[in-house]
Amino acid sequence: MTTITTPRGRVIRDDDGVRLEFVRNYPDPIERVWAAVTDPDELAVWYGTWRGDPASGTVELASIEGGGEFKPVEIVHCDPPRRVAVVLPTPYGPWPISVALSESEGITIAVFVQRLGASDDPTSIGPGWHYYLDRMGATLSGGTMPEFDDWPSYEPLGARYPPPD
């Protein structure tokens, strides 16, 4: 069983509703982390790949757990190498996702946010994004990549992502 030592995210209520937020630090230049998030070949290593023309405002994404099926993803905002925001289609409804990057003294800070809808369950979603962000971190560091067999180690994290009051 995998021991998880990476920082957990937080479930936060704000003026716009509820969000799930992760903050991760990487000892890599911002351009390198941007590539891990947006380059289709690099994204394919830890999450899934995309195809299409981002300038159109929509690309097609096939996640590694989606059986290779490409689905349309709306690009809401893209400001390389600082911020990308998309809306992922899911069986549970649209998931607004954003990643904001900043760099200071050789460290890139990534803030990953998913806006949660009324029916979204952070106790289920939180461990999933924790798992994928650990995969991204391993891609950047060259460390051991969490595999699908490691997923059961992440499920108990659900209790650490309670819905806010």
Side-chain angles (χ1 to χ4, degrees), residues 60-75:
E60 292 183 304
L61 174 75
S63 70
I64 56 178
E65 66 183 58
E69 180 184 349
F70 281 89
K71 296 181 181 177
V73 172
E74 177 188 1
I75 300 170

Side-chain angles (χ1 to χ4, degrees), residues 1-164:
M1 186 173 248
T2 300
T3 301
I4 300 165
T5 60
T6 50
R8 70 178 179 92
R10 300 182 315 150
V11 181
I12 301 166
R13 181 175 302 281
D14 61 20
D15 291 343
D16 295 323
V18 178
R19 73 181 187 270
L20 179 60
E21 179 179 283
F22 291 84
V23 178
R24 298 282 176 98
N25 297 326
Y26 303 103
D28 299 285
I30 195 170
E31 292 81 7
R32 173 71 189 100
V33 179
W34 178 258
V37 172
T38 62
D39 180 273
D41 294 329
E42 292 202 36
L43 186 66
V45 174
W46 65 273
Y47 184 75
T49 192
W50 61 268
R51 65 184 183 197
D53 179 7
S56 73
T58 304
V59 294
E60 292 183 304
L61 174 75
S63 70
I64 56 178
E65 66 183 58
E69 180 184 349
F70 281 89
K71 296 181 181 177
V73 172
E74 177 188 1
I75 300 170
V76 177
H77 183 88
C78 187
D79 178 22
R82 301 275 177 213
R83 185 169 185 271
V84 63
V86 300
V87 178
L88 298 178
T90 75
Y92 318 104
W95 281 5
I97 306 288
S98 66
V99 179
L101 303 177
S102 60
E103 186 177 18
S104 177
E105 299 179 13
I107 301 294
T108 298
I109 301 155
V111 179
F112 173 94
V113 173
Q114 178 180 342
R115 283 278 164 199
L116 301 176
S119 63
D120 290 333
D121 179 7
T123 65
S124 173
I125 297 168
W129 285 121
H130 196 128
Y131 168 80
Y132 280 113
L133 291 172
D134 282 1
R135 288 177 58 86
M136 182 176 116
T139 298
L140 288 165
S141 72
T144 303
M145 173 83 66
E147 299 295 335
F148 288 115
D149 291 347
D150 295 324
W151 172 245
S153 298
Y154 285 81
E155 287 179 314
L157 294 176
R160 300 183 78 184
Y161 294 96

